[in-house]
Amino acid sequence: MTEHQDITALMADIGARAKAAAADLAVASPEAKRAALEAAADAVWDGRAEILAANAKDLAYGRDKGLSEAMMDRLALDESRIKGIVEGLRAVAAQDDPVGEVLAEWDQPTGIHIRRVRTPLGVIGVIYESRPNVTADAGALCLKSGNAVILRGGSESFHSSGAIHACLVAGLRAAGLPEDAIQLVPTRDRAAVQALLTMTDTVDVIVPRGGKGLVGLVQREARVPVFAHLEGIVHIYIDKEADPEKALRVVVNAKTRRTGICGAAECLLIHRDILGTIGQGVVRALLDAGVEVRADETLRAIEGTTAATENDWGCEYLDSIIAAKVVDDLDAAIAHIRRYGSNHTDCIITEDDAAANQFFARLDSAILMRNASTQFADGGEFGMGAEIGIATGKMHARGPVGAAQLTSFKYLVDGDGSTRA
Amino acid sequence: MTEHQDITALMADIGARAKAAAADLAVASPEAKRAALEAAADAVWDGRAEILAANAKDLAYGRDKGLSEAMMDRLALDESRIKGIVEGLRAVAAQDDPVGEVLAEWDQPTGIHIRRVRTPLGVIGVIYESRPNVTADAGALCLKSGNAVILRGGSESFHSSGAIHACLVAGLRAAGLPEDAIQLVPTRDRAAVQALLTMTDTVDVIVPRGGKGLVGLVQREARVPVFAHLEGIVHIYIDKEADPEKALRVVVNAKTRRTGICGAAECLLIHRDILGTIGQGVVRALLDAGVEVRADETLRAIEGTTAATENDWGCEYLDSIIAAKVVDDLDAAIAHIRRYGSNHTDCIITEDDAAANQFFARLDSAILMRNASTQFADGGEFGMGAEIGIATGKMHARGPVGAAQLTSFKYLVDGDGSTRA
């Protein structure tokens, strides 16, 4: 067998085991799922030394690979971040169980009674990059929603994800649930991703979280339905009716609070009329905060900026860099975002209700904001508890995806020998 | 250019025009959409002579092709069915407009206010078979939900669909909406379907309605997300605790009321313990009603049955034929449906609550029924008004699909210079 055949056989086996586990999970009790998550949280805390040791290996590998500071920040664990993982697991454990929830019920004049009831999706494949906590979050949310999951973490977080995954399996075992309910692909080989994208017999949906490389691969190769969690090319447009103080506060927070998350601002659009006032002030504040501002020709007049190239529009830096451009009006801002955005999160700073309404109506991002930092694009900040990520597609799930968004539904119809006339 | 290149170019042009129309439609007023549908209804009624003449051409073509009686019934129009189309258009016109509906809204402690608002999907491609009324239903529902639509009807209904489509375009024109909002693919060439399935730049979702041939094509070729409306391999299981009278009434109605619809029963499973009593009675009643019963070895003892072959399990006849089989128990019935069903609609006849609960919990069809005819699997009978069909997939839409299921949503977030801590 070639190596590629090995990987295909490996993935087929993982898929078959996930499908078998999904049948059990779909009828698992809420108590068993909660117990598994609580036990997993205990295992993560008790095993924090092993997890940190595994993470040290990943950090060394990342340093050798020359990862950026922002990427290294996404990868790094410490005791406080492990505590965050433990709390995340406990928070998901404590949530209401979505499976079996009656979403609606009604009687029809023909005498039939109809219930719409929440069901698991089945088997979910999650493809993600370097953040090791996603292993715990995604595993927990899929289990809570009664789905089996196949996790495929980034090669940089290989050891950290493996150590966290072992804790999740310990939780399943403690609760008497099938260990195959949460599987981690045990290889860094990219062929495993390609296999996962085509496993229509065993995988019901793929959640791909990542940047441009993954976008292209998914569009070319996926045969399984996809909840895309792709790039966050987040724009902030400062309208001519912006409040100066709000503009300053929101833009600086949106760019600098944490640069490695998908809700971080990546491109600033400034209305020409307020270029010399609010615009200049905001750009200076970003420069003062240590942000590299890649500016169009007009904004290059501000000292400290560097020249943007065509590649800077629509770029997801995930780093302390922002593209910046002057636009003639709201229409031009909308046109720029339609062309270069990724339908993740986009924001307008304005006191003008009409402008905000236009921005909200004519753009179709999963999240549109007015006078609020794009770093609020997050399941926790939306009040949904843990999230598997921010869905950028329009199918099924959109925006922050929690356990409830990882479900489908079915109709249960009760009659009494009822026939259709 | 080869013929194939011609079709690809034709479809790319249709896609581009649909995408442009979708941008206008997304912000079209509810009044304009309603006016277009009312005008289309008038145009269909005023143009009924032309539609019937077009339908006569299709019926002649279908007769030459040797279509079954059930297929000819699906294809045929008369004045009463045209009246049904007109009423369908008016019913969709009268429905509430789903676009812009606030699905939920709440405040967060950070000071941001979040609204979840219903949005159109964008461009929908509908691939369907011979029923010409689908042209009107699908066109109307997509328009109501603010989506542009590309309709690809079956080759048998080519002329009828064209005549109905002309009326829909007349409605758009009367209301000042873009005529490209509802397009019909003007060729019978199958290459158009293949092109449609891969137009990821312009088409947001494909709704394929059809049988085995279309299933395979979609699984192999689709790059665009799909709301599958595929085969209705509908099973009815008569449990040992069935009420004899209900079993008889429900099964005969489910098979014979109309054989050409996707909710018609195609396979009967009979518990061994009631084979000589209820089972025999139901099979005799089906035979008396003129149904061909393709029976397993045990049921072949009943005079008038014919022998089933392996091909009869999982077959969608859409005709006056039913497969019939004896099973040892509820588990065997569930196993048979899992193996041969299509996740459309399946039914149990029983007075035993525990058996019904097992059937409901362990099967994952879009619609599960107890003591009710599977012919109720219909948007109208569910109280949803018109439907584009019954979705058999689990993503996004499931079961009867009306205008509301053809939408997505986005989050609108209002702050006051709010930043994340």
Side-chain angles (χ1 to χ4, degrees):
Chain A
M1 282 209 295
T2 67
E3 194 176 334
H4 182 72
Q5 285 172 320
D6 279 346
I7 298 282
T8 306
L10 169 76
M11 293 305 295
D13 178 56
I14 287 175
R17 287 193 281 134
K19 192 169 180 176
D24 289 342
L25 269 190
V27 292
S29 72
E31 294 71 28
K33 291 186 278 180
R34 183 172 299 128
L37 292 169
E38 288 288 357
D42 291 342
V44 168
W45 189 243
D46 295 344
R48 61 193 182 279
E50 289 87 341
I51 294 171
L52 288 174
N55 189 241
K57 283 194 215 174
D58 288 335
L59 290 170
Y61 176 87
R63 220 169 284 119
D64 287 349
K65 263 186 88 172
L67 292 190
S68 71
E69 274 315 297
M71 292 300 284
M72 289 295 281
D73 174 59
R74 282 157 80 104
L75 180 55
L77 291 177
D78 56 20
E79 195 153 298
S80 131
R81 285 192 180 174
I82 290 181
K83 204 167 174 203
I85 291 174
V86 170
E87 282 164 3
L89 288 168
R90 292 203 201 286
V92 176
Q95 283 177 12
D96 288 338
D97 196 292
V99 178
E101 186 190 344
V102 178
L103 300 167
E105 62 181 315
W106 65 96
D107 290 304
Q108 282 297 108
T110 50
I112 58 175
H113 179 77
I114 303 178
R115 282 174 291 164
R116 193 176 188 231
V117 173
R118 213 188 270 284
T119 63
L121 287 165
V123 176
I124 300 178
V126 184
I127 303 168
Y128 54 102
E129 295 186 329
S130 56
R131 276 202 295 173
N133 66 301
V134 177
T135 304
D137 291 350
L141 288 167
C142 289
L143 177 63
K144 187 76 183 189
S145 48
N147 298 291
V149 62
I150 301 170
L151 300 165
R152 210 302 181 165
S155 58
E156 294 85 358
S157 62
F158 188 75
H159 296 290
S160 317
S161 293
I164 294 168
H165 173 252
C167 300
L168 300 177
V169 172
L172 291 167
R173 203 181 304 127
L177 291 174
E179 295 185 21
D180 289 337
I182 305 176
Q183 296 180 79
L184 180 70
V185 175
T187 169
R188 280 174 162 140
D189 195 318
R190 288 281 278 184
V193 174
Q194 280 173 286
L196 198 54
L197 290 171
T198 57
M199 286 161 54
T200 49
D201 286 346
T202 51
V203 180
D204 292 285
V205 64
I206 296 281
V207 178
R209 290 178 50 140
K212 272 207 165 48
L214 192 56
V215 178
L217 186 68
V218 166
Q219 282 193 343
R220 279 193 315 277
E221 307 275 343
R223 298 293 173 279
V224 178
V226 164
F227 296 169
H229 288 58
L230 299 173
E231 300 174 293
I233 302 171
V234 173
H235 292 79
I236 300 187
Y237 163 61
I238 307 180
D239 186 51
K240 67 174 171 181
E241 302 297 340
D243 175 277
E245 207 271 317
K246 291 179 193 173
L248 194 72
R249 201 163 60 199
V250 168
V251 172
V252 171
N253 184 266
K255 179 68 247 182
T256 67
R257 178 187 158 274
R258 212 170 152 189
T259 58
I261 66 172
C262 60
E266 304 289 15
C267 181
L268 181 64
L269 302 171
I270 301 172
H271 193 290
R272 189 173 299 281
D273 292 2
I274 48 95
L275 169 59
T277 52
I278 308 175
Q280 191 142 324
V282 169
V283 170
R284 287 240 166 85
L286 286 167
L287 290 166
D288 289 348
V291 176
E292 178 182 341
V293 179
R294 299 198 182 162
D296 72 349
E297 219 176 318
T298 312
L299 286 168
R300 279 289 284 123
I302 304 175
E303 204 186 311
T305 60
T306 58
T309 67
E310 180 58 30
N311 288 339
D312 284 299
W313 316 122
C315 185
E316 186 185 36
Y317 302 111
L318 297 173
D319 209 339
S320 192
I321 306 170
I322 196 165
K325 185 187 164 82
V326 172
V327 292
D328 287 337
D329 54 20
L330 175 65
D331 285 349
I334 289 173
H336 182 94
I337 295 169
R338 280 186 176 173
R339 177 157 175 203
Y340 294 106
S342 62
N343 298 323
H344 188 293
T345 300
D346 297 291
C347 175
I348 183 171
I349 310 289
T350 191
E351 298 302 301
D352 177 1
D353 290 344
N357 288 341
Q358 283 287 312
F359 192 86
F360 280 4
R362 290 171 53 208
L363 286 172
D364 191 30
S365 312
I367 303 172
L368 291 165
M369 295 187 167
R370 175 189 184 182
N371 296 337
S373 169
T374 57
Q375 301 239 352
F376 284 118
D378 172 275
E381 293 295 328
F382 271 52
M384 294 176 185
E387 57 156 52
I388 204 165
I390 308 283
T392 53
K394 285 194 215 173
M395 293 305 129
H396 198 102
R398 198 173 202 211
V401 174
Q405 285 76 38
L406 296 174
T407 61
S408 183
F409 58 85
K410 59 186 172 188
Y411 292 98
L412 304 180
V413 178
D414 284 289
D416 187 35
S418 317
T419 57
R420 186 168 169 193
Chain B
M1 282 207 298
T2 66
E3 194 176 331
H4 181 72
Q5 285 172 319
D6 279 347
I7 298 280
T8 306
L10 168 75
M11 293 305 297
D13 178 57
I14 288 176
R17 287 195 280 132
K19 192 170 181 174
D24 290 342
L25 269 191
V27 293
S29 72
E31 294 72 28
K33 291 186 279 180
R34 185 173 295 128
L37 291 169
E38 288 286 356
D42 292 343
V44 168
W45 189 242
D46 294 345
R48 59 193 182 280
E50 289 87 340
I51 293 170
L52 288 173
N55 189 242
K57 283 195 215 172
D58 287 334
L59 289 170
Y61 176 86
R63 221 169 283 120
D64 286 350
K65 264 187 86 172
L67 293 190
S68 71
E69 273 316 297
M71 293 299 283
M72 289 295 281
D73 173 60
R74 281 157 81 105
L75 180 55
L77 292 176
D78 55 23
E79 195 153 295
S80 132
R81 285 192 177 173
I82 290 182
K83 205 167 171 203
I85 291 173
V86 171
E87 284 163 3
L89 288 167
R90 293 202 201 288
V92 177
Q95 284 177 10
D96 289 339
D97 196 294
V99 179
E101 186 191 344
V102 179
L103 299 167
E105 61 181 316
W106 65 97
D107 291 304
Q108 281 297 108
T110 49
I112 59 174
H113 178 78
I114 303 177
R115 284 174 289 164
R116 191 177 190 229
V117 173
R118 213 190 270 283
T119 63
L121 286 165
V123 175
I124 300 177
V126 184
I127 302 168
Y128 53 103
E129 295 187 329
S130 55
R131 277 201 295 173
N133 66 300
V134 177
T135 304
D137 292 349
L141 288 168
C142 289
L143 177 63
K144 187 78 186 188
S145 48
N147 298 291
V149 62
I150 301 171
L151 300 165
R152 209 305 182 155
S155 58
E156 294 85 358
S157 63
F158 187 75
H159 297 289
S160 317
S161 293
I164 294 168
H165 174 252
C167 300
L168 299 177
V169 172
L172 291 167
R173 203 182 303 127
L177 291 174
E179 296 185 20
D180 288 337
I182 305 175
Q183 296 180 79
L184 180 71
V185 175
T187 168
R188 281 174 163 140
D189 196 318
R190 288 279 278 184
V193 174
Q194 280 173 287
L196 197 54
L197 290 171
T198 58
M199 287 160 57
T200 48
D201 286 346
T202 50
V203 179
D204 292 285
V205 64
I206 296 281
V207 178
R209 292 179 45 139
K212 275 210 161 48
L214 192 55
V215 178
L217 186 68
V218 166
Q219 283 194 341
R220 278 194 314 277
E221 307 274 343
R223 296 293 174 279
V224 180
V226 164
F227 296 168
H229 288 58
L230 299 173
E231 300 173 291
I233 302 172
V234 173
H235 292 78
I236 301 187
Y237 163 61
I238 308 180
D239 185 51
K240 67 175 172 181
E241 302 298 337
D243 176 280
E245 207 271 317
K246 292 178 192 172
L248 193 73
R249 201 162 62 200
V250 168
V251 173
V252 171
N253 184 267
K255 179 68 249 183
T256 67
R257 177 188 158 274
R258 217 172 149 190
T259 58
I261 66 173
C262 60
E266 305 289 16
C267 182
L268 182 63
L269 302 171
I270 301 171
H271 193 291
R272 191 174 296 281
D273 292 1
I274 49 95
L275 169 59
T277 53
I278 308 175
Q280 189 142 325
V282 169
V283 171
R284 288 241 165 84
L286 287 167
L287 291 167
D288 288 349
V291 176
E292 181 183 338
V293 179
R294 299 197 181 162
D296 72 348
E297 218 175 319
T298 312
L299 286 168
R300 278 291 283 123
I302 302 173
E303 204 187 310
T305 59
T306 58
T309 67
E310 180 58 29
N311 289 338
D312 285 299
W313 315 121
C315 183
E316 186 185 37
Y317 302 110
L318 297 172
D319 209 339
S320 192
I321 305 169
I322 197 165
K325 185 187 165 82
V326 172
V327 292
D328 287 337
D329 53 21
L330 175 64
D331 286 348
I334 289 172
H336 182 95
I337 295 169
R338 282 187 174 173
R339 176 158 177 202
Y340 294 105
S342 63
N343 298 324
H344 187 292
T345 300
D346 297 289
C347 175
I348 183 172
I349 311 288
T350 191
E351 299 302 301
D352 176 3
D353 290 345
N357 288 343
Q358 283 287 311
F359 192 86
F360 280 5
R362 290 173 52 209
L363 286 172
D364 191 31
S365 312
I367 303 172
L368 291 165
M369 296 188 165
R370 175 188 184 182
N371 296 337
S373 170
T374 57
Q375 302 240 348
F376 282 118
D378 172 274
E381 294 295 327
F382 270 53
M384 295 175 184
E387 59 154 51
I388 205 166
I390 308 284
T392 52
K394 285 194 217 174
M395 294 305 129
H396 198 102
R398 197 173 203 210
V401 174
Q405 284 76 38
L406 296 173
T407 61
S408 183
F409 57 85
K410 59 187 174 190
Y411 292 97
L412 304 179
V413 178
D414 285 289
D416 187 35
S418 317
T419 57
R420 187 170 169 190

